[in-house]
Amino acid sequence: MSRSVGARTADPCPRCLVEQVRLGSLVAGAGRDVVGYVCARCGHSWSRPVEDDLEVYDIVRADLDDRTLYGTVWQVDDDRVKVRDTSSGRLQWVERWRVILY
């Protein structure tokens, strides 16, 4: 279960369960890109695949540098996604690797 920390969302580490804001980083893998994460407390690292099956009207979360954006997919390109912010209604392009399908 994730919780809000200011304008961001904190997720638990799968090993030690400490909740913390982790932005992740794009890691090019063999065949499929992934987003890698590291726990600052226990040093555990894990990854998730970059979403490759996004469609218009999907509900998503995007972990941006300054905040967490929740919204609806409005348009999908190869490397980016246009998301309509749930709270403001504003449209914003986001790099695909930052998007998590809800």
Side-chain angles (χ1 to χ4, degrees):
M1 184 77 177
S2 302
R3 66 180 175 86
S4 294
V5 176
R8 297 186 182 189
T9 300
D11 295 310
C13 168
R15 179 182 287 163
C16 70
L17 303 178
V18 168
E19 291 184 341
Q20 155 181 75
V21 174
R22 297 178 184 89
L23 296 179
S25 59
L26 181 61
V27 179
R32 187 168 189 189
D33 291 341
V34 297
V35 179
Y37 299 93
V38 176
C39 178
R41 181 174 180 267
C42 73
H44 178 65
S45 62
W46 67 99
S47 63
R48 68 167 176 82
V50 173
E51 303 290 350
D52 62 0
D53 60 348
L54 293 171
E55 297 180 11
V56 173
Y57 303 125
D58 280 344
I59 305 299
V60 296
R61 164 182 145 188
D63 292 328
L64 307 177
D65 290 335
D66 61 340
R67 64 191 172 100
T68 302
L69 171 70
Y70 292 93
T72 305
V73 173
W74 222 246
Q75 186 176 340
V76 180
D77 282 357
D78 289 337
D79 61 347
R80 63 185 187 158
V81 178
K82 187 179 269 188
V83 178
R84 183 174 186 262
D85 189 325
T86 303
S87 59
S88 70
R90 191 181 82 165
L91 293 170
Q92 179 172 350
W93 283 106
V94 177
E95 294 166 297
R96 183 185 283 262
W97 69 269
R98 294 180 179 269
V99 175
I100 300 170
L101 180 64
Y102 267 32

